[in-house]
Amino acid sequence: MRVQYDEIHEKLAIIEKSQERYKLSLDSTNDAMWEIDLTTKMFSSSNRFNNITGYDKEVANPIENIIKLVLEEDREIVINDFIDLINGGILYYQCRLKLNFNGIDNRWFLIRSMCLRDTRGVAIKIVGSILGIAIQRNFEEEINKLKYYDILTDTPNRKLFISTLENEIIKSKGTYKQIKLAILFIDLDNFKEVNDTLGHTYGDELLINVANLIKATMAEGDLVSRVGGDEFFILMKSIKDYSKVSRLCVKLQSLLNCAIRIDNKHVYTSASIGIAIFPNDGYDTNILLKNADTAMYSAKNNGKARYSFFNESMSSIIVRRAEIEKGLRNALENNEFEMYYQPQIDIINNKLKGFEALLRWNSAKLGKVSPAEFIPIAEQSGLIVSIGEWIIKMVCLQNSLWKSKGYLYDTIAINLSGIQLQNDDFEENLKNIINETKINPKFVELEITESIFMKDFERSIKLLTAIRELGITIALDDFGTGYSSLSYLKRLPINTLKIDKSFIDNIDTNEREKVIVDGIILLAQKIGLDVIAEGAETKNQIELLKGMGCNQIQGYYFSRPLSACEIEEKFLSTNCINC
Ligand code: C2E
Ligand code: CA
Ligand code: CA
């Protein structure tokens, strides 16, 4: 019995000591103190407490009043926590709470308290402190904002978007209702140009405007998020069918595919939108976002300023594109390219005018890939610059070799992509190749398309004039398919117009196209340009072209593009030694 008594006494002494220490530690801090006497139901507090909360000491029913400092929505939880504290369920209470400051304003406080007990363990007092943490809390809010929001457009960022989407997916999986979600991926079509030509301030203003337009278009509960430079995501919740999504896309595009006014300037913009639907296009956030991205890509590839719902066939197109791009990166190194040559015939004098050099790619992994498929990818990925340089070198070398053998023809034409010409080193590189390969520039022709003049007209004119001064001739390819503005044709430093195959295809069946070709030929002759028709396949087409005064023709009728050896064998020499 004595032992038990001593044990209890010892324990109580420890408790009292720790309570004593707790009181002391509270007293020495900056915190404002308060205390509730559970026996008398009295609430007492330090002056500091009254100052920072505006609590009136003299008030009747102090406990009821003190509870009113806690915001209504938190009251039940706080009361339960304190009951827990009194019952011994928790030893210390610590919580960040918004309190009614001075009855006017809500501010953040850190509340700490503990329960004091008598020697029998019965709760007698709750003592505590409060500390204003307004500054820290605002700081935290600020940090949260930085973490989860895009500062420029004040929209949730990718992180917040993804966690919201994940939550919505979990919620829908948990219900029996067929809840569908739509994820829209919006990408501006010409943002880079706005940034490059008008500057970043306009670019930023444009993004803010676009974000505001999107926000104004969305239904309540939907979420918009800027997730990258000019990319936005929209999450549409609980959609029943696709038509609601289509309607939003049409509305968005009517607002975004137009001129947006910024600082008295009109900035022309358009957007491509890709859409993936949960659960039809994927059950998982990553797959849904990837599919929305694929659908957006598809909308862009189909001519921009449009929207596309994801479908499975799109992925295979994207995968193929990625494979081609990957293959192209190693194609030069692996020696997978070869130049083919297609003869161009002077039908009046019945002699060889020259050749067009056409690139062929026999990929180790993908087999033969058509240039119509891989050239656009090489252009978009910028790979055309190094591939293009290789083409010029190879063709000039071949040209030089054939000329050294004394073969008779005027020129070999090399196709140029706009991107090659945009490269500042283009002219210098061309001159170097001409010197290295020792080709007389008069045997070299360059084929360009009208699109290169759209980018920077004056610069292109200057560059091409300089190139022509070297003695190189220039042909305008695919004439008739582009802008074909006749008024500026006279200003272009070109020698030849190449009438596009699509016109030649129909000259023997479609009177209108025949008249157009006739007109082009007349016009070219008037302004002193040569004309060549490409893609002639039948004798009838040749006769008609001849009748219209077109004396140069390239097409399967004479020959398909052939390897250098075959060309040498069939068109240049009667006994080819190298083959
Ligand atoms: P392009 O410059 O318009 O070349 C003419 C295309 O028409 C060639 O296709 C040629 O084989 C084809 N063609 C010529 N005559 C006929 C015909 O009578 N019937 C038919 N059906 N087709 C005919 P290819 O070689 O497949 O090239 C396609 C496009 O790829 C070219 O169109 C050009 O834009 C691009 N390309 C080809 N080689 C190069 C190159 O070395 N550099 C660059 N930048 N682009 C190239
Ligand atoms: Ca061409
Ligand atoms: Ca062409």
Side-chain angles (χ1 to χ4, degrees):
M1 195 64 183
R2 175 82 212 164
V3 177
Q4 235 180 27
Y5 176 82
D6 284 350
E7 235 175 57
I8 292 168
H9 205 76
E10 211 172 289
K11 273 190 186 156
L12 285 176
I14 292 169
I15 290 172
E16 268 174 25
K17 219 172 178 178
S18 78
Q19 290 179 350
E20 219 34 63
R21 220 182 288 138
Y22 180 74
K23 272 206 237 169
L24 273 174
S25 75
L26 285 183
D27 288 344
S28 59
T29 65
N30 268 341
D31 298 14
M33 314 301 301
W34 55 271
E35 191 179 294
I36 298 171
D37 189 319
L38 295 170
T39 336
T40 60
K41 307 270 183 290
M42 281 310 293
F43 177 84
S44 49
S45 52
S46 65
N47 284 339
R48 196 170 159 73
F49 178 94
N50 304 328
N51 288 344
I52 64 175
T53 61
Y55 172 73
D56 181 0
K57 252 185 182 174
E58 309 305 326
V59 76
N61 302 326
I63 298 201
E64 266 171 45
N65 274 296
I66 203 73
I67 268 294
K68 281 190 187 152
L69 287 179
V70 179
L71 301 189
E72 217 172 313
E73 63 258 36
D74 299 328
R75 252 174 236 171
E76 198 182 324
I77 299 174
V78 172
I79 291 172
N80 285 338
D81 283 347
F82 274 91
I83 291 173
D84 235 16
L85 184 70
I86 294 166
N87 292 338
I90 45 173
L91 281 179
Y92 299 101
Y93 176 85
Q94 176 163 322
C95 180
R96 285 155 194 258
L97 266 184
K98 252 185 187 173
L99 294 188
N100 223 314
F101 171 76
N102 251 342
I104 327 162
D105 187 9
N106 297 331
R107 290 201 182 168
W108 286 97
F109 291 92
L110 175 67
I111 321 258
R112 285 180 289 198
S113 78
M114 72 180 292
C115 195
L116 302 184
R117 296 167 193 282
D118 66 10
T119 46
R120 288 162 300 148
V122 177
I124 45 169
K125 273 181 187 171
I126 299 175
V127 293
S129 69
I130 70 166
L131 171 71
I133 51 160
I135 298 162
Q136 283 111 308
R137 195 70 201 185
N138 282 341
F139 191 54
E140 271 171 37
E141 272 174 9
E142 211 50 48
I143 288 176
N144 262 346
K145 192 131 192 169
L146 285 173
K147 269 208 292 227
Y148 297 113
Y149 279 80
D150 169 52
I151 307 292
L152 183 69
T153 58
D154 198 26
T155 57
N157 64 11
R158 178 185 286 265
K159 214 171 187 167
L160 184 52
F161 182 90
I162 287 179
S163 67
T164 312
L165 176 59
E166 270 164 2
N167 274 341
E168 289 301 319
I169 289 175
I170 292 167
K171 264 203 260 168
S172 333
K173 281 179 181 167
T175 64
Y176 294 105
K177 282 186 248 157
Q178 266 284 313
I179 292 179
K180 280 188 169 55
L181 306 168
I183 296 99
L184 281 67
F185 187 159
I186 306 177
D187 185 290
L188 299 186
D189 294 324
N190 54 349
F191 181 67
K192 198 181 167 303
E193 277 156 41
V194 173
N195 248 350
D196 290 351
T197 53
L198 298 173
H200 287 271
T201 319
Y202 276 88
D204 285 356
E205 275 301 313
L206 177 63
L207 290 175
I208 295 168
N209 271 282
V210 167
N212 289 340
L213 285 176
I214 298 175
K215 281 183 211 165
T217 319
M218 284 174 357
E220 210 173 307
D222 292 351
L223 182 75
V224 60
S225 155
R226 176 171 169 240
V227 289
D230 59 343
E231 295 169 352
F232 294 84
F233 282 161
I234 293 180
L235 173 63
M236 293 175 77
K237 296 174 191 166
S238 57
I239 51 158
K240 288 192 185 66
D241 54 52
Y242 287 28
S243 64
K244 188 177 168 192
V245 185
S246 299
R247 279 201 302 278
L248 179 72
C249 288
V250 169
K251 207 164 153 193
L252 277 171
Q253 294 207 303
S254 70
L255 292 170
L256 295 179
N257 299 349
C258 61
I260 293 180
R261 203 184 155 94
I262 299 172
D263 268 4
N264 280 335
K265 263 202 174 97
H266 283 102
V267 178
Y268 290 89
T269 170
S270 71
S272 299
I273 309 175
I275 306 137
I277 304 285
F278 167 87
N280 309 42
D281 302 327
Y283 283 97
D284 154 81
T285 315
N286 285 338
I287 294 176
L288 286 163
L289 294 181
K290 192 176 122 273
N291 290 345
D293 182 52
T294 301
M296 192 282 293
Y297 236 105
S298 165
K300 268 215 194 297
N301 286 340
N302 287 334
K304 301 180 176 172
R306 60 190 67 212
Y307 67 92
S308 293
F309 284 92
F310 172 78
N311 69 52
E312 283 302 328
S313 67
M314 285 174 181
S315 335
S316 57
I317 293 169
I318 303 280
V319 168
R320 167 91 179 155
R321 221 199 103 91
E323 280 176 346
I324 289 180
E325 190 176 325
K326 200 165 155 231
L328 282 175
R329 289 191 187 276
N330 305 314
L332 274 179
E333 243 171 74
N334 297 350
N335 241 339
E336 293 172 350
F337 287 129
E338 187 182 356
M339 292 316 298
Y340 268 44
Y341 298 87
Q342 187 178 30
Q344 299 172 325
I345 307 294
D346 178 338
I347 50 171
I348 304 289
N349 306 310
N350 226 355
K351 72 173 198 52
L352 189 62
K353 189 256 168 192
F355 305 96
E356 176 178 7
L358 293 156
L359 183 61
R360 293 294 175 261
W361 180 29
N362 191 359
S363 155
K365 217 170 153 211
L366 305 167
K368 285 185 178 158
V369 186
S370 154
E373 191 180 9
F374 74 77
I375 293 280
I377 298 171
E379 288 175 338
Q380 282 154 26
S381 59
L383 289 165
I384 195 69
V385 176
S386 53
I387 297 174
E389 203 173 313
W390 178 87
I391 293 170
I392 300 173
K393 257 187 207 154
M394 284 306 290
V395 178
C396 287
L397 208 60
Q398 186 66 68
N399 207 347
S400 191
L401 181 73
W402 279 341
K403 279 297 168 190
S404 72
K405 291 185 179 181
Y407 297 145
L408 295 175
Y409 58 86
D410 295 344
T411 53
I412 301 186
I414 301 169
N415 287 286
L416 287 187
S417 293
I419 294 162
Q420 281 174 275
L421 285 169
Q422 276 166 39
N423 195 343
D424 288 338
D425 300 332
F426 181 78
E427 192 185 338
E428 198 55 37
N429 285 344
L430 182 65
K431 281 187 196 159
N432 288 340
I433 296 172
I434 286 172
N435 289 336
E436 276 167 31
T437 58
K438 299 190 176 60
I439 183 71
N440 184 336
K442 72 172 182 185
F443 299 129
V444 179
E445 184 162 75
L446 297 180
E447 287 193 11
I448 55 163
T449 55
E450 283 170 281
S451 61
I452 69 150
F453 296 105
M454 296 299 123
K455 198 90 193 147
D456 188 342
F457 189 75
E458 298 305 329
R459 184 183 172 275
S460 305
I461 298 266
K462 232 173 110 189
L463 177 63
L464 293 174
T465 308
I467 289 173
R468 270 222 314 185
E469 276 162 13
L470 301 173
I472 292 173
T473 52
I474 294 170
L476 190 60
D477 202 0
D478 304 338
F479 188 74
T481 59
Y483 304 87
S484 308
S485 163
L486 301 178
S487 57
Y488 80 94
L489 209 53
K490 266 207 308 214
R491 281 199 61 200
L492 305 186
I494 54 171
N495 305 75
T496 308
L497 275 192
K498 238 183 144 175
I499 307 175
D500 191 67
K501 179 176 181 299
S502 57
F503 292 102
I504 311 302
D505 281 344
N506 302 322
I507 46 169
D508 42 3
T509 51
N510 185 324
E511 188 58 31
R512 207 172 146 254
E513 308 235 324
K514 191 178 148 197
V515 171
I516 293 174
V517 173
D518 208 14
I520 294 175
I521 294 168
L522 267 173
L523 170 100
Q525 285 167 346
K526 261 215 163 104
I527 55 175
L529 295 177
D530 279 347
V531 189
I532 181 163
E534 74 176 334
E537 295 180 347
T538 65
K539 189 158 176 53
N540 195 21
Q541 287 168 346
I542 309 279
E543 290 305 323
L544 279 168
L545 286 163
K546 199 174 178 179
M548 293 178 198
C550 173
N551 40 13
Q552 292 176 15
I553 290 173
Q554 176 187 341
Y556 287 0
Y557 179 76
F558 293 111
S559 172
R560 285 176 178 259
L562 300 170
S563 71
C565 273
E566 287 171 298
I567 286 287
E568 198 161 2
E569 194 181 45
K570 290 190 180 149
F571 290 88
L572 296 172
S573 73
T574 37
N575 52 347
C576 173
I577 325 140
N578 296 334
C579 305

